Amino acid sequence: MSLKLSCLAILAAVAVTTAPTPAQAKFELVERKIKVGNRERSYRAYIPDRVRAGRETSVIFAFHPALGSGKGFVDQANLHRASGAEDFIIVYPEGFRRTWNGGDCCGPAQRRKIDDLGFVKAMFQDLENFGPISKSRNFAAGFSNGWVMSQQVACQMPDRFRAIAGGGAVKQDLSGCGRGSAVSIFIMHGLEDTIAPYQGGKSSLNKTGRGAELPSVAQMANFWKGANNCGSKSSSSRLPGASCESFKGCSGGAEVTVCAVPNMGHWWPGHGGGRKGEKTFGPSRGDLNGAGAAISFFRSKL
């Protein structure tokens, strides 16, 4: 598959319907515009009361899928509504032309070499206007192109990020990753995802059948297990309703957990899709609590 088609394989997942969610924690919603170089960027953040009280707080960046938006991902991911979310500032940034430059992917952001790492650094700095921000215990969650971006910050900014969570994509270029502090990885990926197939191979978006195949989720997980020098494997209940295994004994107390989600296509677990969405992206699992699983994972790494 060509690089162009490989990028397109991550450009799916649009909002269709929103699954029921737990009661929302108390946050102040702020919408910010900041300059990154000569370009104006924007994000929305949910600021918990603890920040206003002057307590150092960790940040979760929630990166939307390509062709999505930060505003849309608020209701797709629902991270700020999960139990325990009040321990974090939760940020939903807007990509460049609805895409992220994850290094090897995707769309206009990657082709234009948009400095999305610079955007993340600028958001850290801007958030300090609200209160003290952790220097090393921060997190990223993302879906599809947003999951590629989450891995990009883990690769390029490991001293600032403690863990990442997401799925729906396989980052192909992991060169330069795993050279700093160990970063915990939590993968939640649908077994019926045909856009980024769990077992690897041709994406359903590759209509010609030509070009290189996508690597598998296992290959991506194996990289992170090796990068973090992980040890023994055990079954895990990180995401009830999925088949999960965890690798622990990793450097710096890190962990790599992989959850294969049955009867789910190209979706964030917990985002329920209607008929139109499921026709394109496969079955959804609105009954799952991906947000709660991600927040629980991050809280375990504080």
Side-chain angles (χ1 to χ4, degrees):
M1 186 184 296
S2 68
L3 178 58
K4 181 178 180 181
L5 285 172
S6 297
C7 290
L8 285 174
I10 315 301
L11 295 183
V14 296
V16 180
T17 61
T18 302
T21 57
Q24 185 173 349
K26 292 182 179 179
F27 292 95
E28 176 190 0
L29 171 60
V30 299
E31 298 184 1
R32 306 285 285 181
K33 292 184 179 181
I34 57 177
K35 275 294 189 71
V36 183
N38 294 322
R39 196 178 305 278
E40 184 177 82
R41 304 295 299 268
S42 64
Y43 71 91
R44 63 190 60 220
Y46 288 81
I47 310 290
D49 291 342
R50 59 175 286 141
V51 178
R52 298 298 190 185
R55 299 171 62 187
E56 183 179 273
T57 304
S58 298
V59 180
I60 299 173
F61 293 94
F63 295 109
H64 64 75
L67 304 185
S69 68
K71 183 178 180 180
F73 203 47
V74 167
D75 289 328
Q76 289 180 37
N78 282 309
L79 290 166
H80 60 292
R81 297 188 177 105
S83 176
E86 65 275 7
D87 288 339
F88 306 89
I89 295 173
I90 302 183
V91 175
Y92 295 90
E94 296 289 348
F96 174 77
R97 296 186 181 176
R98 302 166 70 191
T99 61
W100 300 106
N101 180 6
D104 56 342
C105 171
C106 287
Q110 189 260 344
R111 291 194 299 270
R112 296 276 296 273
K113 297 182 172 24
I114 297 301
D115 185 10
D116 279 328
L117 292 173
F119 181 27
V120 172
K121 294 173 184 176
M123 285 189 285
F124 270 129
Q125 184 174 358
D126 190 55
L127 288 167
E128 290 175 357
N129 290 309
F130 300 97
I133 303 301
S134 175
K135 299 300 182 185
S136 61
R137 297 187 306 275
N138 300 293
F139 306 91
F143 177 69
S144 200
N145 182 199
W147 177 227
V148 175
M149 185 63 201
S150 297
Q151 292 182 79
Q152 181 74 343
V153 298
C155 289
Q156 303 300 326
M157 303 173 65
D159 293 338
R160 294 225 67 174
F161 286 86
R162 183 67 59 88
I164 61 173
V170 179
K171 183 169 171 57
Q172 298 178 74
D173 182 5
L174 291 164
S175 59
C177 302
R179 296 180 182 176
S181 302
V183 178
S184 292
I185 311 294
F186 181 23
I187 302 169
M188 302 176 286
H189 200 109
L191 285 172
E192 295 189 37
D193 191 334
T194 62
I195 291 174
Y198 193 94
Q199 300 296 342
K202 302 293 185 184
S203 168
S204 59
L205 294 182
N206 182 358
K207 302 302 183 182
T208 67
R210 297 191 296 269
E213 297 187 343
L214 295 171
S216 67
V217 171
Q219 287 174 293
M220 179 177 64
N222 284 336
F223 169 84
W224 287 111
K225 286 185 290 183
N228 286 335
N229 298 309
C230 295
S232 59
K233 177 178 71 172
S234 62
S235 60
S236 170
S237 58
R238 281 285 183 198
L239 179 64
S243 176
C244 306
E245 57 182 21
S246 292
F247 298 83
K248 298 186 177 179
C250 311
S251 299
E255 171 187 345
V256 175
T257 293
V258 184
C259 292
V261 185
N263 304 314
M264 189 175 83
H266 194 68
W267 298 95
W268 174 270
H271 179 201
R275 288 185 179 180
K276 183 178 180 180
E278 291 189 339
K279 184 176 180 180
T280 302
F281 301 117
S284 62
R285 292 290 305 274
D287 60 306
L288 300 181
N289 188 5
I295 292 294
S296 176
F297 185 74
F298 294 155
R299 282 170 57 89
S300 74
K301 308 306 173 188
L302 283 172

